[in-house]
């Protein structure tokens, strides 16, 4: 059973430009610290302070390579962004139409097929935003992740690194636990040696963490005692180094017994790396825009196309709401009522459709057409103020813009909004000053 989904959204929370910069800086600091910790693990492994199993150093090197590649790419984007990247200006009405399909098949036979169309209410009334233009519009949901920019995979890479570090930390912790058990075995043998030099038989020892010390092991200690009474210190070293005196699996203990001079350092460093990587995952998702992942082996894919907003989209949205806000609000309330009343399931060729009736669907489409006409008017007026080449009569302005053009419009919108805010403050101040002197005459 395959799962592939494509969505258009802004994530769990709306992030400002300042918050994105802080998130990028935090992510860089966490990743840089993690790189230093992982490099320290490799250095300590080379100096025999800790001994790591052969696959783990190779995994750490791969993780370091991915981290370095991500940071170099982020640096490249920061120093030289892609000014030719294209985005499409669009508008969302009082509702957002989302279509999903759930099909269940078994042995090639479809026994359940359901199509659901949901209309999510937009709390802001309308939303003007940019969406990245992809190279192909006919790509299915399963291949949509491959249309993402390279940065769109970074969050997925961070998640994979976190899962890998978690698995490595668990493995190292298990080995360290076995190492402690081995030390208990050695301590047990040392105690048996000291008791074997006495004339009193050794008591059955109790060692924490050793669950399989049964009567057979105790019998071996008694045999060692009987032998060493006659020949003290004759073969105790052989019992520790060569003999399986406590029925211990030597093949399992040999790799455990060589964890280095300070074996506790390794699990601590990996745990610190895991904590740093977890924070890097959160920071990466917090600043992610167009993102997704694909697992072909499990037939799973997900793509989220981000709703890019800036000062220009806010200005266009405010202008539309100022001129047509009441009308659009009334239309949205009436459409919400019609959607609740007319949503019903229908059967078409064995497929169950959950959707509104044709009249409500037509009403939704008419709202979208109207909003795009209003968007075209405001966008055309703003572009002709910023770009003189667009001032030619009877020449419309395209909704598809490059990143460089969007940045120019964004600067123009910020300046216009600052000027409008200053003018508003001046008007309020003049009005307040007049009200402070009720009997004064204001010159005309």
């Amino acid at each position: 059973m395959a799962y592939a989904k494509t969505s258009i959204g802004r994530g769990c929370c709306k992030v400002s430009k300042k918050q994105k910069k802080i998130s990028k800086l935090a992510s860089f600091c966490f990743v840089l610290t993690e790189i230093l910790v992982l490099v320290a693990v490799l250095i300590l492994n080379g100096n025999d302070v800790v001994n790591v199993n052969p696959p783990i150093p190779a995994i750490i090197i791969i993780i370091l390579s991915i981290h370095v590649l991500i940071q170099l790419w982020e640096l490249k984007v920061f120093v030289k962004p892609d000014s030719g990247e294209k985005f499409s200006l669009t508008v969302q009405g009082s509702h957002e139409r989302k279509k999903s399909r759930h099909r269940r098949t078994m042995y090639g036979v479809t026994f359940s097929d359901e199509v659901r169309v949901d209309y999510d209410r937009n709390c802001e009334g309308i939303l003007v935003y940019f969406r990245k233009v992809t190279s192909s519009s006919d790509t299915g949901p399963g291949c949509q992740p491959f249309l993402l920019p390279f940065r769109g995979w970074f969050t997925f890479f961070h998640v994979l690194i976190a899962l890998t570090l978690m698995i490595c930390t668990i493995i190292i912790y298990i080995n360290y636990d076995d190492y402690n058990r081995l030390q208990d075995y050695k301590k047990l043998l040392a105690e048996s040696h000291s008791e074997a030099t006495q004339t009193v038989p050794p008591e059955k020892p109790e060692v924490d963490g050793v669950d399989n010390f049964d009567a057979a092991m105790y019998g071996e200690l008694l045999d060692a005692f009987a032998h060493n009474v006659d020949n003290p210190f004759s073969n105790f070293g052989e019992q520790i180094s060569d003999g399986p005196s406590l029925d211990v699996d030597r093949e399992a203990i040999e790799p455990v017994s060589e964890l280095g001079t300070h074996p506790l350092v390794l699990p601590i460093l990996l745990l610190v790396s895991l904590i740093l990587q977890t924070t890097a995952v959160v920071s990466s998702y917090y600043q992610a825009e167009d993102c997704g992942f694909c697992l072909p082996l499990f037939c799973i894919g997900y793509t989220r196309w981000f709703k890019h907003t800036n000062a220009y989209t806010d200005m266009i949205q405010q202008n539309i709401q100022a001129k047509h806000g009441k009308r659009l609000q009334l239309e949205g309330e009436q459409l919400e009522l019609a959607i609740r009343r007319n949503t019903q399931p229908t059967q078409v060729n064995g497929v169950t459709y959950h959707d509104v009736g044709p009249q409500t669907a037509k009403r939704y489409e008419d709202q979208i057409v109207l909003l795009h006409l209003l968007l075209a008017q405001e966008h055309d007026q703003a572009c002709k103020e910023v770009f003189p080449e667009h001032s030619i009569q009877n020449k419309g302005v395209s909704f598809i813009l490059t990143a460089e053009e969007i940045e120019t419009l964004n600067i123009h919108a910020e300046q216009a909004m600052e000027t409008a805010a200053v003018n508003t403050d001046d008007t309020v101040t003049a009005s307040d000053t007049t009200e402070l002197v009720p009997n004064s005459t204001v010159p005309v």
Side-chain angles (χ1 to χ4, degrees), residues 223-243:
D223 293 340
F225 164 75
H227 176 76
N228 289 324
V229 167
D230 300 328
N231 302 289
F233 306 106
S234 60
N235 59 350
F236 180 73
E238 296 178 0
Q239 290 180 359
I240 295 180
S241 60
D242 299 328

Side-chain angles (χ1 to χ4, degrees), residues 119 331 334-335 337-339 341-344 355-367:
Y119 294 84
E331 174 63 23
Q334 294 177 353
L335 182 59
L337 183 61
I339 291 173
R341 289 179 177 178
N342 299 324
T343 300
Q344 55 187 359
D355 198 356
V356 297
Q359 293 182 353
T360 306
K362 179 67 166 52
R363 190 169 187 172
Y364 170 79
E365 294 172 358
D366 290 342
Q367 184 195 71

Side-chain angles (χ1 to χ4, degrees), residues 387-431:
F387 305 110
E389 60 272 15
H390 291 307
S391 299
I392 305 175
Q393 289 184 347
N394 299 327
K395 181 180 179 182
V397 179
S398 175
F399 281 151
I400 298 178
L401 303 170
T402 62
E404 184 177 3
E405 292 173 337
I406 292 174
E407 183 62 26
T408 304
L409 290 171
N410 185 47
I411 295 174
H412 167 74
E414 289 177 349
Q415 295 174 352
M417 295 175 72
E418 289 178 0
T419 303
V422 170
N423 293 337
T424 303
D425 293 340
D426 292 342
T427 303
V428 173
T429 303
S431 177

